[in-house]
Amino acid sequence: MDLNTVVEIRDAREPRPWRPGDAWLGGGTYLFSEPQPHLRRLVDLSRTDWEPVRRHPDGSLEIAATCTIARLSRFAKGLSVQAAPLFEQCCRAFLASFKIWNMATVGGNLCNALPAGPMISLTAALDGECLLVAQDGVRRRVRVADFVTGAGRKDLAEGELLRSVTLPARALDCRTAFRQASLYGLGRSGVLVIGALDPLDGSLAVTVTASTVRPIRLWFPLPPTAVALRAAIDAAVADDEWFDDIHGLPEWRRHMTYRYAEEIRKEVLR
């Protein structure tokens, strides 16, 4: 879609004061999908040449905000960690063609903050941490589970940039289990639940996305009983936090979350 209110596109490598009507341009798959009448200038990140994915000496994995879904999928195929299958499972949870895969970015998916965003699911489940950079250069770090605060809402100040997401080595070594449901084939996720069992201490993290307006990450020092797991979900998700749209009623999303969380609990205990 043409954005006929945009009068300028500037290179992000050329520092200029941020002003009202500015927006970061990553892959542009959301920006150009619908009218954006409030925008006047796009700040293009495509020439920053940030390394898409980097493995640090401590074993952690840093994913640049500009890393495309296709690039992340290719990288994960050669990743020798226990959680490697989860990357492809989340990439495949996109309601997207190969054209979108090659343009859509990890950072864009997080910053859209949609409940069904599978990169939110992936990075929240693996205890990811966002690196945010303000216009004055000040940096801060926020856990992905806290970065997305609601449907379309995130902890991002005006002009602030999501630079990357880092996944800790310990989370990458977790055994994972994945469940996803849509109302129809190849449809947008209505429920997505991920379990991650830590082999070092036996702790279990259960992350709920798509069915809720924000990611819910539950951590248990030891795998809980079925009753304790359901009670933890009830305590963590307020009644008005079950998402409601044409892709699923809150009651259905809640029911499927309980079901998938229990399936995951049993799977990781095998």
PDB file of all heavy atoms in Angstrom, residues 60-61 83 86-87 110 119-130 142-146 165-172 174 176 194 196 198 203 205-207 215 217-219:
ATOM      1  N   SER A  60      25.077 -17.491  24.762  1.00  0.00           N
ATOM      2  CA  SER A  60      23.816 -16.790  24.504  1.00  0.00           C
ATOM      3  C   SER A  60      23.688 -16.444  23.023  1.00  0.00           C
ATOM      4  O   SER A  60      24.680 -16.443  22.290  1.00  0.00           O
ATOM      5  CB  SER A  60      23.724 -15.526  25.360  1.00  0.00           C
ATOM      6  OG  SER A  60      24.751 -14.610  25.011  1.00  0.00           O
ATOM      7  N   LEU A  61      22.483 -16.148  22.613  1.00  0.00           N
ATOM      8  CA  LEU A  61      22.199 -15.873  21.203  1.00  0.00           C
ATOM      9  C   LEU A  61      21.565 -14.496  21.091  1.00  0.00           C
ATOM     10  O   LEU A  61      20.526 -14.232  21.704  1.00  0.00           O
ATOM     11  CB  LEU A  61      21.243 -16.936  20.665  1.00  0.00           C
ATOM     12  CG  LEU A  61      21.054 -17.012  19.146  1.00  0.00           C
ATOM     13  CD1 LEU A  61      22.325 -17.538  18.496  1.00  0.00           C
ATOM     14  CD2 LEU A  61      19.886 -17.941  18.815  1.00  0.00           C
ATOM     15  N   ALA A  83      16.917 -26.540  22.326  1.00  0.00           N
ATOM     16  CA  ALA A  83      15.711 -25.783  21.984  1.00  0.00           C
ATOM     17  C   ALA A  83      15.615 -25.431  20.506  1.00  0.00           C
ATOM     18  O   ALA A  83      14.695 -24.731  20.097  1.00  0.00           O
ATOM     19  CB  ALA A  83      15.641 -24.503  22.824  1.00  0.00           C
ATOM     20  N   LEU A  86      12.301 -25.368  18.400  1.00  0.00           N
ATOM     21  CA  LEU A  86      11.299 -24.352  18.724  1.00  0.00           C
ATOM     22  C   LEU A  86      11.359 -23.162  17.771  1.00  0.00           C
ATOM     23  O   LEU A  86      10.329 -22.545  17.474  1.00  0.00           O
ATOM     24  CB  LEU A  86      11.498 -23.871  20.166  1.00  0.00           C
ATOM     25  CG  LEU A  86      10.477 -22.872  20.700  1.00  0.00           C
ATOM     26  CD1 LEU A  86       9.080 -23.481  20.721  1.00  0.00           C
ATOM     27  CD2 LEU A  86      10.871 -22.407  22.105  1.00  0.00           C
ATOM     28  N   PHE A  87      12.534 -22.839  17.263  1.00  0.00           N
ATOM     29  CA  PHE A  87      12.676 -21.704  16.349  1.00  0.00           C
ATOM     30  C   PHE A  87      11.834 -21.923  15.090  1.00  0.00           C
ATOM     31  O   PHE A  87      11.065 -21.056  14.680  1.00  0.00           O
ATOM     32  CB  PHE A  87      14.146 -21.504  15.978  1.00  0.00           C
ATOM     33  CG  PHE A  87      14.983 -20.911  17.065  1.00  0.00           C
ATOM     34  CD1 PHE A  87      15.396 -21.685  18.135  1.00  0.00           C
ATOM     35  CD2 PHE A  87      15.355 -19.580  17.025  1.00  0.00           C
ATOM     36  CE1 PHE A  87      16.172 -21.145  19.153  1.00  0.00           C
ATOM     37  CE2 PHE A  87      16.135 -19.025  18.032  1.00  0.00           C
ATOM     38  CZ  PHE A  87      16.535 -19.817  19.101  1.00  0.00           C
ATOM     39  N   LEU A 110       7.910  -8.098  17.321  1.00  0.00           N
ATOM     40  CA  LEU A 110       7.826  -7.759  18.740  1.00  0.00           C
ATOM     41  C   LEU A 110       7.185  -6.392  18.951  1.00  0.00           C
ATOM     42  O   LEU A 110       6.349  -6.210  19.839  1.00  0.00           O
ATOM     43  CB  LEU A 110       9.207  -7.798  19.389  1.00  0.00           C
ATOM     44  CG  LEU A 110       9.594  -9.120  20.053  1.00  0.00           C
ATOM     45  CD1 LEU A 110       9.930 -10.174  19.012  1.00  0.00           C
ATOM     46  CD2 LEU A 110      10.769  -8.937  21.004  1.00  0.00           C
ATOM     47  N   MET A 119       7.154 -14.422  17.155  1.00  0.00           N
ATOM     48  CA  MET A 119       8.483 -14.088  17.654  1.00  0.00           C
ATOM     49  C   MET A 119       8.407 -13.635  19.119  1.00  0.00           C
ATOM     50  O   MET A 119       9.369 -13.782  19.876  1.00  0.00           O
ATOM     51  CB  MET A 119       9.131 -13.007  16.791  1.00  0.00           C
ATOM     52  CG  MET A 119       9.442 -13.452  15.374  1.00  0.00           C
ATOM     53  SD  MET A 119      10.621 -14.828  15.268  1.00  0.00           S
ATOM     54  CE  MET A 119       9.524 -16.255  15.045  1.00  0.00           C
ATOM     55  N   ILE A 120       7.270 -13.109  19.504  1.00  0.00           N
ATOM     56  CA  ILE A 120       7.028 -12.828  20.925  1.00  0.00           C
ATOM     57  C   ILE A 120       6.979 -14.144  21.683  1.00  0.00           C
ATOM     58  O   ILE A 120       7.579 -14.296  22.753  1.00  0.00           O
ATOM     59  CB  ILE A 120       5.721 -12.033  21.107  1.00  0.00           C
ATOM     60  CG1 ILE A 120       5.809 -10.677  20.411  1.00  0.00           C
ATOM     61  CG2 ILE A 120       5.401 -11.858  22.594  1.00  0.00           C
ATOM     62  CD1 ILE A 120       4.485  -9.922  20.365  1.00  0.00           C
ATOM     63  N   SER A 121       6.256 -15.118  21.113  1.00  0.00           N
ATOM     64  CA  SER A 121       6.137 -16.435  21.746  1.00  0.00           C
ATOM     65  C   SER A 121       7.512 -17.071  21.929  1.00  0.00           C
ATOM     66  O   SER A 121       7.852 -17.559  23.015  1.00  0.00           O
ATOM     67  CB  SER A 121       5.259 -17.352  20.888  1.00  0.00           C
ATOM     68  OG  SER A 121       4.029 -16.745  20.572  1.00  0.00           O
ATOM     69  N   LEU A 122       8.307 -17.070  20.864  1.00  0.00           N
ATOM     70  CA  LEU A 122       9.633 -17.691  20.895  1.00  0.00           C
ATOM     71  C   LEU A 122      10.531 -17.042  21.930  1.00  0.00           C
ATOM     72  O   LEU A 122      11.131 -17.721  22.785  1.00  0.00           O
ATOM     73  CB  LEU A 122      10.265 -17.584  19.506  1.00  0.00           C
ATOM     74  CG  LEU A 122      11.743 -17.985  19.396  1.00  0.00           C
ATOM     75  CD1 LEU A 122      11.921 -19.469  19.640  1.00  0.00           C
ATOM     76  CD2 LEU A 122      12.309 -17.575  18.033  1.00  0.00           C
ATOM     77  N   THR A 123      10.666 -15.734  21.846  1.00  0.00           N
ATOM     78  CA  THR A 123      11.641 -15.042  22.699  1.00  0.00           C
ATOM     79  C   THR A 123      11.187 -14.942  24.152  1.00  0.00           C
ATOM     80  O   THR A 123      12.015 -14.956  25.056  1.00  0.00           O
ATOM     81  CB  THR A 123      11.961 -13.645  22.136  1.00  0.00           C
ATOM     82  OG1 THR A 123      10.744 -12.903  21.943  1.00  0.00           O
ATOM     83  CG2 THR A 123      12.675 -13.764  20.787  1.00  0.00           C
ATOM     84  N   ALA A 124       9.883 -14.858  24.387  1.00  0.00           N
ATOM     85  CA  ALA A 124       9.402 -14.854  25.770  1.00  0.00           C
ATOM     86  C   ALA A 124       9.608 -16.222  26.404  1.00  0.00           C
ATOM     87  O   ALA A 124      10.016 -16.325  27.572  1.00  0.00           O
ATOM     88  CB  ALA A 124       7.929 -14.461  25.816  1.00  0.00           C
ATOM     89  N   ALA A 125       9.325 -17.283  25.639  1.00  0.00           N
ATOM     90  CA  ALA A 125       9.468 -18.645  26.170  1.00  0.00           C
ATOM     91  C   ALA A 125      10.913 -18.958  26.535  1.00  0.00           C
ATOM     92  O   ALA A 125      11.176 -19.703  27.494  1.00  0.00           O
ATOM     93  CB  ALA A 125       8.954 -19.656  25.153  1.00  0.00           C
ATOM     94  N   LEU A 126      11.866 -18.398  25.787  1.00  0.00           N
ATOM     95  CA  LEU A 126      13.281 -18.645  26.046  1.00  0.00           C
ATOM     96  C   LEU A 126      13.905 -17.531  26.887  1.00  0.00           C
ATOM     97  O   LEU A 126      15.115 -17.305  26.842  1.00  0.00           O
ATOM     98  CB  LEU A 126      14.034 -18.823  24.729  1.00  0.00           C
ATOM     99  CG  LEU A 126      13.622 -20.069  23.917  1.00  0.00           C
ATOM    100  CD1 LEU A 126      14.427 -20.158  22.630  1.00  0.00           C
ATOM    101  CD2 LEU A 126      13.768 -21.346  24.745  1.00  0.00           C
ATOM    102  N   ASP A 127      13.053 -16.844  27.645  1.00  0.00           N
ATOM    103  CA  ASP A 127      13.494 -15.839  28.616  1.00  0.00           C
ATOM    104  C   ASP A 127      14.353 -14.754  27.977  1.00  0.00           C
ATOM    105  O   ASP A 127      15.370 -14.314  28.530  1.00  0.00           O
ATOM    106  CB  ASP A 127      14.271 -16.511  29.758  1.00  0.00           C
ATOM    107  CG  ASP A 127      14.321 -15.653  31.012  1.00  0.00           C
ATOM    108  OD1 ASP A 127      13.467 -14.747  31.150  1.00  0.00           O
ATOM    109  OD2 ASP A 127      15.214 -15.879  31.858  1.00  0.00           O
ATOM    110  N   GLY A 128      13.936 -14.299  26.786  1.00  0.00           N
ATOM    111  CA  GLY A 128      14.689 -13.294  26.060  1.00  0.00           C
ATOM    112  C   GLY A 128      14.664 -11.925  26.713  1.00  0.00           C
ATOM    113  O   GLY A 128      13.752 -11.595  27.479  1.00  0.00           O
ATOM    114  N   GLU A 129      15.685 -11.139  26.394  1.00  0.00           N
ATOM    115  CA  GLU A 129      15.815  -9.786  26.943  1.00  0.00           C
ATOM    116  C   GLU A 129      16.013  -8.802  25.793  1.00  0.00           C
ATOM    117  O   GLU A 129      16.890  -8.990  24.949  1.00  0.00           O
ATOM    118  CB  GLU A 129      16.999  -9.733  27.903  1.00  0.00           C
ATOM    119  CG  GLU A 129      17.158  -8.411  28.625  1.00  0.00           C
ATOM    120  CD  GLU A 129      18.337  -8.417  29.575  1.00  0.00           C
ATOM    121  OE1 GLU A 129      19.492  -8.501  29.104  1.00  0.00           O
ATOM    122  OE2 GLU A 129      18.110  -8.349  30.794  1.00  0.00           O
ATOM    123  N   CYS A 130      15.206  -7.760  25.758  1.00  0.00           N
ATOM    124  CA  CYS A 130      15.283  -6.737  24.715  1.00  0.00           C
ATOM    125  C   CYS A 130      16.336  -5.691  25.078  1.00  0.00           C
ATOM    126  O   CYS A 130      16.420  -5.268  26.234  1.00  0.00           O
ATOM    127  CB  CYS A 130      13.940  -6.028  24.560  1.00  0.00           C
ATOM    128  SG  CYS A 130      12.561  -7.082  24.083  1.00  0.00           S
ATOM    129  N   VAL A 142      15.012  -4.917  28.898  1.00  0.00           N
ATOM    130  CA  VAL A 142      13.694  -5.312  29.409  1.00  0.00           C
ATOM    131  C   VAL A 142      13.411  -6.735  28.940  1.00  0.00           C
ATOM    132  O   VAL A 142      13.627  -7.054  27.766  1.00  0.00           O
ATOM    133  CB  VAL A 142      12.584  -4.373  28.880  1.00  0.00           C
ATOM    134  CG1 VAL A 142      11.218  -4.801  29.411  1.00  0.00           C
ATOM    135  CG2 VAL A 142      12.866  -2.930  29.252  1.00  0.00           C
ATOM    136  N   ARG A 143      12.954  -7.576  29.837  1.00  0.00           N
ATOM    137  CA  ARG A 143      12.578  -8.933  29.449  1.00  0.00           C
ATOM    138  C   ARG A 143      11.434  -8.881  28.443  1.00  0.00           C
ATOM    139  O   ARG A 143      10.540  -8.039  28.553  1.00  0.00           O
ATOM    140  CB  ARG A 143      12.166  -9.751  30.672  1.00  0.00           C
ATOM    141  CG  ARG A 143      13.296 -10.036  31.638  1.00  0.00           C
ATOM    142  CD  ARG A 143      12.795 -10.750  32.883  1.00  0.00           C
ATOM    143  NE  ARG A 143      12.270 -12.077  32.592  1.00  0.00           N
ATOM    144  CZ  ARG A 143      11.023 -12.476  32.851  1.00  0.00           C
ATOM    145  NH1 ARG A 143      10.143 -11.640  33.387  1.00  0.00           N
ATOM    146  NH2 ARG A 143      10.646 -13.705  32.582  1.00  0.00           N
ATOM    147  N   VAL A 144      11.460  -9.784  27.481  1.00  0.00           N
ATOM    148  CA  VAL A 144      10.395  -9.815  26.469  1.00  0.00           C
ATOM    149  C   VAL A 144       9.035  -9.964  27.129  1.00  0.00           C
ATOM    150  O   VAL A 144       8.044  -9.340  26.713  1.00  0.00           O
ATOM    151  CB  VAL A 144      10.635 -10.963  25.466  1.00  0.00           C
ATOM    152  CG1 VAL A 144       9.447 -11.104  24.521  1.00  0.00           C
ATOM    153  CG2 VAL A 144      11.919 -10.718  24.678  1.00  0.00           C
ATOM    154  N   ALA A 145       8.954 -10.785  28.166  1.00  0.00           N
ATOM    155  CA  ALA A 145       7.683 -11.012  28.856  1.00  0.00           C
ATOM    156  C   ALA A 145       7.127  -9.729  29.467  1.00  0.00           C
ATOM    157  O   ALA A 145       5.920  -9.622  29.709  1.00  0.00           O
ATOM    158  CB  ALA A 145       7.854 -12.075  29.935  1.00  0.00           C
ATOM    159  N   ASP A 146       8.008  -8.742  29.724  1.00  0.00           N
ATOM    160  CA  ASP A 146       7.576  -7.450  30.272  1.00  0.00           C
ATOM    161  C   ASP A 146       7.499  -6.370  29.199  1.00  0.00           C
ATOM    162  O   ASP A 146       6.863  -5.331  29.410  1.00  0.00           O
ATOM    163  CB  ASP A 146       8.543  -6.995  31.378  1.00  0.00           C
ATOM    164  CG  ASP A 146       8.613  -7.975  32.536  1.00  0.00           C
ATOM    165  OD1 ASP A 146       7.553  -8.533  32.897  1.00  0.00           O
ATOM    166  OD2 ASP A 146       9.716  -8.199  33.065  1.00  0.00           O
ATOM    167  N   VAL A 165      17.390  -8.778  20.588  1.00  0.00           N
ATOM    168  CA  VAL A 165      16.878  -9.627  21.661  1.00  0.00           C
ATOM    169  C   VAL A 165      17.924 -10.696  21.934  1.00  0.00           C
ATOM    170  O   VAL A 165      18.414 -11.346  21.005  1.00  0.00           O
ATOM    171  CB  VAL A 165      15.544 -10.296  21.282  1.00  0.00           C
ATOM    172  CG1 VAL A 165      15.046 -11.172  22.431  1.00  0.00           C
ATOM    173  CG2 VAL A 165      14.499  -9.259  20.916  1.00  0.00           C
ATOM    174  N   THR A 166      18.270 -10.879  23.204  1.00  0.00           N
ATOM    175  CA  THR A 166      19.268 -11.878  23.579  1.00  0.00           C
ATOM    176  C   THR A 166      18.608 -13.019  24.341  1.00  0.00           C
ATOM    177  O   THR A 166      17.858 -12.796  25.295  1.00  0.00           O
ATOM    178  CB  THR A 166      20.382 -11.254  24.437  1.00  0.00           C
ATOM    179  OG1 THR A 166      21.037 -10.223  23.676  1.00  0.00           O
ATOM    180  CG2 THR A 166      21.410 -12.294  24.852  1.00  0.00           C
ATOM    181  N   LEU A 167      18.896 -14.248  23.898  1.00  0.00           N
ATOM    182  CA  LEU A 167      18.383 -15.456  24.544  1.00  0.00           C
ATOM    183  C   LEU A 167      19.518 -16.088  25.331  1.00  0.00           C
ATOM    184  O   LEU A 167      20.587 -16.372  24.765  1.00  0.00           O
ATOM    185  CB  LEU A 167      17.857 -16.437  23.501  1.00  0.00           C
ATOM    186  CG  LEU A 167      16.852 -15.879  22.481  1.00  0.00           C
ATOM    187  CD1 LEU A 167      16.449 -16.955  21.483  1.00  0.00           C
ATOM    188  CD2 LEU A 167      15.637 -15.311  23.180  1.00  0.00           C
ATOM    189  N   PRO A 168      19.351 -16.326  26.625  1.00  0.00           N
ATOM    190  CA  PRO A 168      20.446 -16.879  27.438  1.00  0.00           C
ATOM    191  C   PRO A 168      20.771 -18.321  27.072  1.00  0.00           C
ATOM    192  O   PRO A 168      19.904 -19.082  26.634  1.00  0.00           O
ATOM    193  CB  PRO A 168      19.908 -16.775  28.867  1.00  0.00           C
ATOM    194  CG  PRO A 168      18.422 -16.737  28.726  1.00  0.00           C
ATOM    195  CD  PRO A 168      18.145 -16.041  27.420  1.00  0.00           C
ATOM    196  N   ALA A 169      22.031 -18.684  27.253  1.00  0.00           N
ATOM    197  CA  ALA A 169      22.490 -20.029  26.901  1.00  0.00           C
ATOM    198  C   ALA A 169      21.707 -21.097  27.653  1.00  0.00           C
ATOM    199  O   ALA A 169      21.381 -22.153  27.101  1.00  0.00           O
ATOM    200  CB  ALA A 169      23.987 -20.146  27.209  1.00  0.00           C
ATOM    201  N   ARG A 170      21.398 -20.837  28.898  1.00  0.00           N
ATOM    202  CA  ARG A 170      20.697 -21.847  29.698  1.00  0.00           C
ATOM    203  C   ARG A 170      19.325 -22.154  29.117  1.00  0.00           C
ATOM    204  O   ARG A 170      18.882 -23.303  29.100  1.00  0.00           O
ATOM    205  CB  ARG A 170      20.574 -21.361  31.139  1.00  0.00           C
ATOM    206  CG  ARG A 170      19.992 -22.397  32.075  1.00  0.00           C
ATOM    207  CD  ARG A 170      20.299 -22.069  33.505  1.00  0.00           C
ATOM    208  NE  ARG A 170      19.695 -23.006  34.419  1.00  0.00           N
ATOM    209  CZ  ARG A 170      19.913 -23.026  35.730  1.00  0.00           C
ATOM    210  NH1 ARG A 170      20.753 -22.144  36.254  1.00  0.00           N
ATOM    211  NH2 ARG A 170      19.332 -23.909  36.508  1.00  0.00           N
ATOM    212  N   ALA A 171      18.629 -21.117  28.622  1.00  0.00           N
ATOM    213  CA  ALA A 171      17.308 -21.336  28.028  1.00  0.00           C
ATOM    214  C   ALA A 171      17.423 -22.127  26.729  1.00  0.00           C
ATOM    215  O   ALA A 171      16.555 -22.949  26.409  1.00  0.00           O
ATOM    216  CB  ALA A 171      16.629 -19.996  27.773  1.00  0.00           C
ATOM    217  N   LEU A 172      18.494 -21.885  25.980  1.00  0.00           N
ATOM    218  CA  LEU A 172      18.684 -22.600  24.718  1.00  0.00           C
ATOM    219  C   LEU A 172      18.930 -24.083  24.937  1.00  0.00           C
ATOM    220  O   LEU A 172      18.694 -24.906  24.041  1.00  0.00           O
ATOM    221  CB  LEU A 172      19.858 -22.006  23.949  1.00  0.00           C
ATOM    222  CG  LEU A 172      19.671 -20.564  23.454  1.00  0.00           C
ATOM    223  CD1 LEU A 172      20.984 -20.032  22.896  1.00  0.00           C
ATOM    224  CD2 LEU A 172      18.571 -20.482  22.409  1.00  0.00           C
ATOM    225  N   CYS A 174      17.312 -25.854  27.107  1.00  0.00           N
ATOM    226  CA  CYS A 174      16.097 -26.452  27.664  1.00  0.00           C
ATOM    227  C   CYS A 174      15.422 -27.384  26.656  1.00  0.00           C
ATOM    228  O   CYS A 174      15.465 -27.145  25.446  1.00  0.00           O
ATOM    229  CB  CYS A 174      15.102 -25.359  28.075  1.00  0.00           C
ATOM    230  SG  CYS A 174      15.571 -24.457  29.570  1.00  0.00           S
ATOM    231  N   THR A 176      12.113 -28.374  24.995  1.00  0.00           N
ATOM    232  CA  THR A 176      10.897 -27.594  24.778  1.00  0.00           C
ATOM    233  C   THR A 176       9.753 -28.451  24.245  1.00  0.00           C
ATOM    234  O   THR A 176       9.965 -29.505  23.645  1.00  0.00           O
ATOM    235  CB  THR A 176      11.152 -26.436  23.798  1.00  0.00           C
ATOM    236  OG1 THR A 176      11.567 -26.960  22.536  1.00  0.00           O
ATOM    237  CG2 THR A 176      12.219 -25.486  24.342  1.00  0.00           C
ATOM    238  N   ILE A 194       4.031 -22.814  25.123  1.00  0.00           N
ATOM    239  CA  ILE A 194       5.364 -23.407  25.033  1.00  0.00           C
ATOM    240  C   ILE A 194       5.847 -23.776  26.433  1.00  0.00           C
ATOM    241  O   ILE A 194       5.718 -22.989  27.371  1.00  0.00           O
ATOM    242  CB  ILE A 194       6.357 -22.414  24.391  1.00  0.00           C
ATOM    243  CG1 ILE A 194       5.951 -22.106  22.945  1.00  0.00           C
ATOM    244  CG2 ILE A 194       7.784 -22.974  24.428  1.00  0.00           C
ATOM    245  CD1 ILE A 194       6.739 -20.968  22.320  1.00  0.00           C
ATOM    246  N   ALA A 196       9.301 -25.166  28.607  1.00  0.00           N
ATOM    247  CA  ALA A 196      10.764 -25.259  28.553  1.00  0.00           C
ATOM    248  C   ALA A 196      11.255 -25.852  29.868  1.00  0.00           C
ATOM    249  O   ALA A 196      11.136 -25.228  30.924  1.00  0.00           O
ATOM    250  CB  ALA A 196      11.390 -23.888  28.314  1.00  0.00           C
ATOM    251  N   ASP A 198      14.249 -27.066  32.195  1.00  0.00           N
ATOM    252  CA  ASP A 198      15.673 -26.830  32.419  1.00  0.00           C
ATOM    253  C   ASP A 198      16.335 -28.125  32.879  1.00  0.00           C
ATOM    254  O   ASP A 198      15.970 -28.665  33.927  1.00  0.00           O
ATOM    255  CB  ASP A 198      15.846 -25.738  33.474  1.00  0.00           C
ATOM    256  CG  ASP A 198      17.279 -25.235  33.576  1.00  0.00           C
ATOM    257  OD1 ASP A 198      18.212 -26.063  33.438  1.00  0.00           O
ATOM    258  OD2 ASP A 198      17.486 -24.034  33.805  1.00  0.00           O
ATOM    259  N   SER A 203      13.611 -27.221  36.623  1.00  0.00           N
ATOM    260  CA  SER A 203      12.534 -26.228  36.654  1.00  0.00           C
ATOM    261  C   SER A 203      11.806 -26.202  35.308  1.00  0.00           C
ATOM    262  O   SER A 203      12.346 -26.591  34.279  1.00  0.00           O
ATOM    263  CB  SER A 203      13.088 -24.838  36.974  1.00  0.00           C
ATOM    264  OG  SER A 203      14.003 -24.421  35.969  1.00  0.00           O
ATOM    265  N   ALA A 205       9.294 -23.775  32.740  1.00  0.00           N
ATOM    266  CA  ALA A 205       8.640 -22.513  32.380  1.00  0.00           C
ATOM    267  C   ALA A 205       7.554 -22.823  31.363  1.00  0.00           C
ATOM    268  O   ALA A 205       7.795 -23.537  30.385  1.00  0.00           O
ATOM    269  CB  ALA A 205       9.644 -21.529  31.788  1.00  0.00           C
ATOM    270  N   VAL A 206       6.359 -22.314  31.607  1.00  0.00           N
ATOM    271  CA  VAL A 206       5.235 -22.462  30.680  1.00  0.00           C
ATOM    272  C   VAL A 206       4.838 -21.064  30.229  1.00  0.00           C
ATOM    273  O   VAL A 206       4.500 -20.215  31.060  1.00  0.00           O
ATOM    274  CB  VAL A 206       4.040 -23.177  31.337  1.00  0.00           C
ATOM    275  CG1 VAL A 206       2.856 -23.227  30.378  1.00  0.00           C
ATOM    276  CG2 VAL A 206       4.429 -24.593  31.768  1.00  0.00           C
ATOM    277  N   THR A 207       4.903 -20.838  28.928  1.00  0.00           N
ATOM    278  CA  THR A 207       4.628 -19.507  28.379  1.00  0.00           C
ATOM    279  C   THR A 207       3.369 -19.550  27.532  1.00  0.00           C
ATOM    280  O   THR A 207       3.257 -20.366  26.612  1.00  0.00           O
ATOM    281  CB  THR A 207       5.814 -19.006  27.537  1.00  0.00           C
ATOM    282  OG1 THR A 207       6.988 -19.002  28.347  1.00  0.00           O
ATOM    283  CG2 THR A 207       5.556 -17.598  27.021  1.00  0.00           C
ATOM    284  N   PRO A 215       2.179 -11.708  26.755  1.00  0.00           N
ATOM    285  CA  PRO A 215       2.782 -13.001  27.078  1.00  0.00           C
ATOM    286  C   PRO A 215       2.774 -13.256  28.579  1.00  0.00           C
ATOM    287  O   PRO A 215       3.104 -12.375  29.382  1.00  0.00           O
ATOM    288  CB  PRO A 215       4.219 -12.861  26.537  1.00  0.00           C
ATOM    289  CG  PRO A 215       4.468 -11.397  26.444  1.00  0.00           C
ATOM    290  CD  PRO A 215       3.142 -10.758  26.163  1.00  0.00           C
ATOM    291  N   ARG A 217       4.465 -15.735  31.269  1.00  0.00           N
ATOM    292  CA  ARG A 217       5.503 -16.747  31.483  1.00  0.00           C
ATOM    293  C   ARG A 217       5.469 -17.206  32.936  1.00  0.00           C
ATOM    294  O   ARG A 217       5.743 -16.435  33.855  1.00  0.00           O
ATOM    295  CB  ARG A 217       6.885 -16.205  31.128  1.00  0.00           C
ATOM    296  CG  ARG A 217       7.977 -17.272  31.075  1.00  0.00           C
ATOM    297  CD  ARG A 217       9.294 -16.676  30.582  1.00  0.00           C
ATOM    298  NE  ARG A 217      10.285 -17.697  30.282  1.00  0.00           N
ATOM    299  CZ  ARG A 217      11.142 -18.205  31.185  1.00  0.00           C
ATOM    300  NH1 ARG A 217      11.110 -17.764  32.440  1.00  0.00           N
ATOM    301  NH2 ARG A 217      12.003 -19.137  30.821  1.00  0.00           N
ATOM    302  N   LEU A 218       5.111 -18.462  33.131  1.00  0.00           N
ATOM    303  CA  LEU A 218       5.009 -19.045  34.465  1.00  0.00           C
ATOM    304  C   LEU A 218       6.237 -19.908  34.719  1.00  0.00           C
ATOM    305  O   LEU A 218       6.604 -20.730  33.873  1.00  0.00           O
ATOM    306  CB  LEU A 218       3.744 -19.885  34.582  1.00  0.00           C
ATOM    307  CG  LEU A 218       2.431 -19.178  34.242  1.00  0.00           C
ATOM    308  CD1 LEU A 218       1.287 -20.177  34.207  1.00  0.00           C
ATOM    309  CD2 LEU A 218       2.145 -18.071  35.241  1.00  0.00           C
ATOM    310  N   TRP A 219       6.858 -19.737  35.872  1.00  0.00           N
ATOM    311  CA  TRP A 219       8.049 -20.509  36.213  1.00  0.00           C
ATOM    312  C   TRP A 219       7.801 -21.328  37.466  1.00  0.00           C
ATOM    313  O   TRP A 219       7.291 -20.822  38.469  1.00  0.00           O
ATOM    314  CB  TRP A 219       9.244 -19.573  36.417  1.00  0.00           C
ATOM    315  CG  TRP A 219      10.528 -20.316  36.699  1.00  0.00           C
ATOM    316  CD1 TRP A 219      11.377 -20.860  35.784  1.00  0.00           C
ATOM    317  CD2 TRP A 219      11.085 -20.593  37.983  1.00  0.00           C
ATOM    318  NE1 TRP A 219      12.439 -21.467  36.409  1.00  0.00           N
ATOM    319  CE2 TRP A 219      12.285 -21.322  37.768  1.00  0.00           C
ATOM    320  CE3 TRP A 219      10.699 -20.319  39.295  1.00  0.00           C
ATOM    321  CZ2 TRP A 219      13.097 -21.758  38.816  1.00  0.00           C
ATOM    322  CZ3 TRP A 219      11.498 -20.753  40.338  1.00  0.00           C
ATOM    323  CH2 TRP A 219      12.685 -21.454  40.095  1.00  0.00           C
TER     324      TRP A 219
END
